[in-house]
Amino acid sequence: MTETDLPASFTGHYTITRDDYLAMVRTLDQPQRGVRTILVTAWISLFVLIMGLMSKNWPQFVQAVTDLVTFNEVPFSVYGVLLAGLVLIALMPNLTLLRAMRLYRGLSIADQHVDIVIDEAGLTTSVPGRSSQLEWSVFRRVVVKPKHLFLVLSRREGMVVPQRAFSNAIEFEAVKALAQRKMPAAQPK
């Protein structure tokens, strides 16, 4: 099947699963990796600032930092507090996924059958009881994964289009190509 043989619009059918939802949460959470770096820097800076405020003068502050770095005469609880903050920051993505797993059942789209039509104008989705029509211009970016296409609306919202929605892999590739053409900032992963 060549590009000229492909239809002008693509119709798909699928049921939203927890795995689809979690894949979208992971995808939307990826820009937050820079935030973790900022949080680690802020946590360490706050820790050093507190040490500075507790020191009476500069030489005492330098000695306290030296003792901390060389593990010399520093109570274990100080390292525990520092480490606890760093561990919580490192676990942020997992905490986000755990929260998403817990919230999934309460979502109106959970385990719902979706009919989707994707064409040059945008996409139309229908779930029991409602439908929506979105133009390409409302999407901020497109993220392409091997098994999913994510059409990102905002930092926390998006549309997930799984490969299984279409009758074959060629059709899914054509849908991805259309999305990339309509959204030049597509991010293949």
Side-chain angles (χ1 to χ4, degrees):
M1 190 179 279
T2 65
E3 201 168 307
T4 56
D5 296 336
L6 292 171
S9 70
F10 302 92
T11 302
H13 312 279
Y14 61 100
T15 299
I16 289 280
T17 65
R18 180 180 292 206
D19 290 340
D20 294 330
Y21 179 68
L22 294 179
M24 186 172 67
V25 168
R26 269 189 221 96
T27 298
L28 294 177
D29 193 45
Q30 282 184 355
Q32 303 303 319
R33 291 177 191 210
V35 171
R36 285 197 309 248
T37 303
I38 292 168
L39 286 173
V40 166
T41 304
W43 177 248
I44 292 172
S45 299
L46 177 66
F47 199 80
V48 170
L49 177 66
I50 290 170
M51 287 176 55
L53 292 174
M54 292 175 64
S55 301
K56 293 181 177 139
N57 54 39
W58 180 253
Q60 187 181 14
F61 171 71
V62 171
Q63 185 61 46
V65 171
T66 304
D67 288 345
L68 182 70
V69 172
T70 60
F71 302 100
N72 186 23
E73 297 182 20
V74 176
F76 179 74
S77 60
V78 172
Y79 293 111
V81 170
L82 182 61
L83 186 62
L86 295 175
V87 165
L88 283 175
I89 292 168
L91 291 176
M92 277 175 47
N94 295 331
L95 296 174
T96 300
L97 284 178
L98 286 173
R99 183 171 181 249
M101 288 171 66
R102 188 175 53 85
L103 293 175
Y104 174 74
R105 287 283 168 220
L107 297 175
S108 62
I109 61 163
D111 301 321
Q112 292 292 315
H113 177 78
V114 179
D115 294 316
I116 188 166
V117 177
I118 300 176
D119 58 25
E120 290 289 329
L123 67 138
T124 303
T125 59
S126 299
V127 295
R130 68 175 181 253
S131 70
S132 65
Q133 202 167 6
L134 300 169
E135 296 178 3
W136 288 111
S137 61
V138 301
F139 298 105
R140 293 173 67 184
R141 64 188 171 104
V142 174
V143 179
V144 178
K145 300 279 185 163
K147 299 282 183 190
H148 292 95
L149 175 69
F150 300 101
L151 304 168
V152 181
L153 292 160
S154 70
R155 286 183 59 207
R156 295 190 175 170
E157 296 175 307
M159 300 284 302
V160 57
V161 182
Q163 178 181 5
R164 70 180 184 281
F166 302 98
S167 58
N168 57 53
I170 294 170
E171 197 169 285
F172 184 63
E173 290 302 317
V175 168
K176 289 194 304 191
L178 173 63
Q180 288 174 317
R181 190 173 78 245
K182 290 298 190 175
M183 300 289 301
Q187 299 175 356
K189 297 285 178 184

